[in-house]
């Protein structure tokens, strides 16, 4: 009984440490993203805002394959860590398939909302230009990072949980003990209390 309680408390401590680590890294990442995307830029001119979906991606592709890969990759990678940090900070690493799909949906929605918030805040920052394609690519980056890392992390945590349970040894079992030989006779005798 004590081993099981110790195992549970150790698992709870590890779970709490993972949540705290995820929360700290999430805050640090959001501060870095805010600094990169919301600082004023001193530029002589700024391009017009792009509110037509996929037009900015077509413009990036016209620069050639290397420059297009760099520009599109930057937009994909900007918020991609949210795909891992949000479920980690939330402690939502449940192993069931339904929980996995709902986690992906919630994480994707949160990533798109963060990207929309950044785009709205950029409209008031000098030198920053709003681009709807960056919202699409940021959301896609969150989904790709979540799909690439979180299932493997869940599997690893499940394996660690199984190994932790099996290392405690099996639960001792007591063979079934029959009733005493005089039980039938004594139960038939009326008792007066």
């Amino acid at each position: 009984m004590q081993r099981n309680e110790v195992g549970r408390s150790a698992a709870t401590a590890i779970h709490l440490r993972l949540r705290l680590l995820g929360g700290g890294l999430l805050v640090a990442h959001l501060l870095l993203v805010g600094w990169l995307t919301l600082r004023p830029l001193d530029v002589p001119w700024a391009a017009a805002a792009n509110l037509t979906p996929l037009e900015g991606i077509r413009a990036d592709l016209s620069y050639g394959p290397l420059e297009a890969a760099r520009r599109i990759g930057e937009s994909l990678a900007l918020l991609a860590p949210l795909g891992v940090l949000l479920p980690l900070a939330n402690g939502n690493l449940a192993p069931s398939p339904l929980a996995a799909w709902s986690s992906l949906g919630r994480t994707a929605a949160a990533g798109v909302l963060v990207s929309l918030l950044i785009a709205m805040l950029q409209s008031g920052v000098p030198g920053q230009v709003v681009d709807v394609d960056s919202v699409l690519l940021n959301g896609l980056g969150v989904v790709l990072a979540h799909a690439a890392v979180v299932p493997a992390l869940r599997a690893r945590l499940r394996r660690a949980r199984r190994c932790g349970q099996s290392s405690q040894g099996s639960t001792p079992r007591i063979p079934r003990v029959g009733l005493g030989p005089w039980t039938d006779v004594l139960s038939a005798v009326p008792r007066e209390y």
Side-chain angles (χ1 to χ4, degrees), residues 44-127:
W45 61 274
N50 173 25
L51 301 177
T52 306
L54 305 178
E55 188 174 312
I57 295 173
R58 281 190 212 108
D60 290 341
L61 292 173
S62 69
Y63 288 115
L66 292 177
E67 185 65 19
R70 185 189 67 79
R71 288 174 178 241
I72 292 172
E74 284 175 355
S75 291
L76 283 172
L78 182 66
L79 294 180
L82 292 181
V84 178
L85 295 176
L86 285 172
L88 191 63
N90 191 24
N92 193 6
L93 293 173
S96 73
L98 182 61
W101 284 107
S102 66
S103 172
L104 177 65
R106 285 191 310 269
T107 304
V112 170
L113 287 174
V114 168
S115 184
L116 279 171
L117 178 68
I118 289 170
M120 289 186 339
L121 292 174
Q122 278 180 336
S123 65
V125 177

Side-chain angles (χ1 to χ4, degrees), residues 104-149:
L104 177 65
R106 285 191 310 269
T107 304
V112 170
L113 287 174
V114 168
S115 184
L116 279 171
L117 178 68
I118 289 170
M120 289 186 339
L121 292 174
Q122 278 180 336
S123 65
V125 177
Q128 297 286 354
V129 180
V130 176
D131 187 5
V132 72
D133 291 334
S134 67
V135 174
L136 296 173
L137 289 172
N138 290 337
L140 181 62
V142 169
V143 169
L144 290 175
H146 183 89
V149 175

